[in-house]
Amino acid sequence: MEKDVVLLAIESSCDETAAAVVKNGREVLSNVIYSQIALHTEFGGVVPEIASRKHIEKINQVIEQALSAAGRSLADLDGIAVTYGPGLVGALLVGVSEAKAISFAAGLPLIGVHHIEGHICANYIENKDLEPPFVCLVASGGHSHLVVVRDYGKYEIIGRTRDDAAGEAFDKVARAIGLGYPGGPKIDKLSREGNPDAIAFPRAKVAENEYDFSFSGLKSAVLNYINGCEMKGEEFSRADIAASFQKAVIDVLVEHSIHAVKAYGFSKFAIAGGVASNSSLRETFSERCEREGIAFYHPSPIFCTDNAAMIGAAGYYEFLRGVRSGYDLNAVPGLKLGER
Ligand code: KG4
Ligand code: ZN
């Protein structure tokens, strides 16, 4: 029996201040998230300066809560995992500085983790049997990536968005129909009252790469539809717009993903990122994968949106591979997946 590895994980790349204690990468002993959403709502999106300040205010408290809920002290830990990119530089810096300070004070190894790797590894938490290789769709506010997970820590991005990320499109369309920030969960809810086939919005294909995404045309089509109705003095149903838009996004995500799983000859597929908590997306993938004989994996919604447990999961596999960061670890806002 190998010795257990217990990590404290810290995440502060955007508007969630989060800390978790994770054992052997898959057992979450605690998962504390302070969401700043309410603070940013009145501005219609995340204000970086406000996010950084709130992280500073909350981070110690969140870490203390995570340790106490896990019944661990710093002396019981084997390392500290922290998101160091991509994300908002000021926000990332708070987590990175905090992790470096604790690592130095407690003499614990430091492991810098890629935020997207964290999202992917969220799948390991509740799916104890899931092991690479598999294909993972990462759809968040900042990214829409189709990733081939060759092995732990070995990623190949085969598709990405050419313009807006899927979550960004949800947020922008939500704003256009007056739902406010963050748009994803609100569109998800309103869609249940609408007809997904009411309006024929476009499903964009990117000529040069069959796995790439483009959502800006869809967003413009929604805005044009609303303008058109307003100019003609016609009423429009916000629920039908939400449902039809959502279906257009999901159709593209599903088609590209299933195509990739088959083309690469895998039998396992996973989803990750904030958009992966969308109820209709989960149902659609679940049905489609079942029909295609593909094993479908997904984290619970709480592990889809930003959290630190996923950073603890990713950090564990990096730790096993011998990855250790120095005290020169810095926030890297544009960090690429697979880069160090
Ligand atoms: O992964 P995440 O929490 O943060 C980033 O790393 O970006 O993703 C946030 C994004 C936001 O754009 C939000 O609107 C979207 O995920 N989102 C959703 C849902 N919940 C969150 N999109 C669609 N349906 C949802 N239920
Ligand atoms: Zn994220």
Side-chain angles (χ1 to χ4, degrees), residues 11 13 115-116 119 140-141 273-274 304-306 310:
E11 153 66 40
S13 66
H115 182 76
I116 299 299
H119 274 303
S140 71
C304 286
T305 44
D306 288 351
M310 67 183 196

Side-chain angles (χ1 to χ4, degrees), residues 27 39 48 116 169 194 202 206 214 220 273 297 332 336:
E27 196 182 327
L39 267 178
I116 299 299
V206 178
S214 166
S220 303
Y297 298 89
V332 184
K336 303 271 181 297

Side-chain angles (χ1 to χ4, degrees), residues 325-340:
S325 306
Y327 294 129
D328 58 349
L329 182 71
N330 206 350
V332 184
L335 186 67
K336 303 271 181 297
L337 191 62
E339 237 176 39
R340 282 241 148 240

Side-chain angles (χ1 to χ4, degrees), residues 115 119 140-142 167-168 170-171 183-185 188 273-275 277-278 304-306:
H115 182 76
H119 274 303
S140 71
E168 204 177 341
F170 269 94
D171 294 336
D188 192 349
V275 180
S277 61
N278 184 276
C304 286
T305 44
D306 288 351

Side-chain angles (χ1 to χ4, degrees), residues 29-335:
L29 304 183
S30 66
N31 186 34
V32 179
I33 305 167
Y34 170 78
S35 171
Q36 305 181 359
I37 283 177
L39 267 178
H40 300 281
T41 301
E42 65 174 299
F43 302 101
V46 178
V47 184
E49 192 56 36
I50 295 179
S52 315
R53 285 189 208 173
K54 206 66 192 175
H55 283 312
I56 295 178
E57 205 180 303
K58 289 286 169 187
I59 196 148
N60 280 315
Q61 193 183 321
V62 165
I63 290 172
E64 274 165 26
Q65 279 175 14
L67 287 171
S68 109
R72 307 281 165 140
S73 69
L74 290 179
D76 305 321
L77 301 176
D78 299 290
I80 319 261
V82 63
T83 308
Y84 73 109
L88 302 169
V89 67
L92 287 164
L93 265 175
V94 177
V96 169
S97 312
E98 179 82 13
K100 286 201 278 192
I102 299 175
S103 155
F104 181 71
L108 289 167
L110 179 68
I111 306 122
V113 173
H114 192 289
H115 182 76
I116 299 299
E117 179 173 20
H119 274 303
I120 295 170
C121 293
N123 279 287
Y124 296 137
I125 296 170
E126 294 155 301
N127 300 300
K128 310 292 181 201
D129 62 321
L130 177 62
E131 299 210 38
F134 58 92
V135 173
C136 186
L137 168 72
V138 188
S140 71
H143 302 84
S144 300
H145 284 349
L146 252 181
V147 182
V148 172
V149 182
R150 294 269 176 211
D151 201 348
Y152 295 108
K154 293 217 163 52
Y155 306 96
E156 196 182 315
I157 301 175
I158 58 168
R160 63 183 82 229
T161 181
R162 292 298 179 102
D163 35 63
D164 293 350
E168 204 177 341
F170 269 94
D171 294 336
K172 286 178 178 169
V173 166
R175 197 175 305 147
I177 55 175
L179 294 178
Y181 177 84
K186 293 186 171 148
I187 290 200
D188 192 349
K189 195 157 166 243
L190 184 61
S191 291
R192 287 180 211 137
E193 296 159 29
N195 173 7
D197 301 313
I199 310 154
F201 288 132
R203 274 81 168 146
K205 281 210 180 332
V206 178
E208 303 84 58
N209 181 349
E210 56 191 337
Y211 302 122
D212 276 358
F213 303 102
S214 166
F215 294 110
S216 73
L218 170 60
K219 176 195 65 193
S220 303
V222 174
L223 298 180
N224 288 341
Y225 176 82
I226 296 171
N227 284 340
C229 291
E230 280 170 349
M231 276 164 66
K232 287 183 259 170
E234 286 173 9
E235 296 250 326
F236 56 85
S237 155
R238 296 191 324 159
D240 282 351
I241 294 178
S244 302
F245 157 77
Q246 181 174 278
K247 180 143 187 266
V249 175
I250 294 172
D251 276 357
V252 173
L253 295 176
V254 171
E255 286 319 314
H256 284 40
S257 303
I258 300 297
H259 179 43
V261 179
K262 287 183 176 174
Y264 279 78
F266 291 117
S267 57
K268 292 181 262 183
F269 170 70
I271 54 172
V275 180
S277 61
N278 184 276
S279 54
S280 175
L281 178 138
R282 294 161 81 91
E283 276 162 35
T284 313
F285 266 119
S286 172
E287 282 163 20
R288 184 67 188 273
C289 286
E290 193 174 343
R291 238 189 305 142
E292 304 278 357
I294 298 166
F296 173 50
Y297 298 89
H298 50 84
S300 290
I302 192 69
F303 296 126
C304 286
T305 44
D306 288 351
N307 66 88
M310 67 183 196
I311 303 304
Y316 170 74
Y317 290 103
E318 294 294 342
F319 181 90
L320 288 191
R321 295 199 309 140
V323 170
R324 302 289 182 272
S325 306
Y327 294 129
D328 58 349
L329 182 71
N330 206 350
V332 184
L335 186 67

Side-chain angles (χ1 to χ4, degrees), residues 11-23:
E11 153 66 40
S12 71
S13 66
C14 190
D15 59 349
E16 264 88 28
T17 319
V21 178
V22 180
K23 186 169 146 186

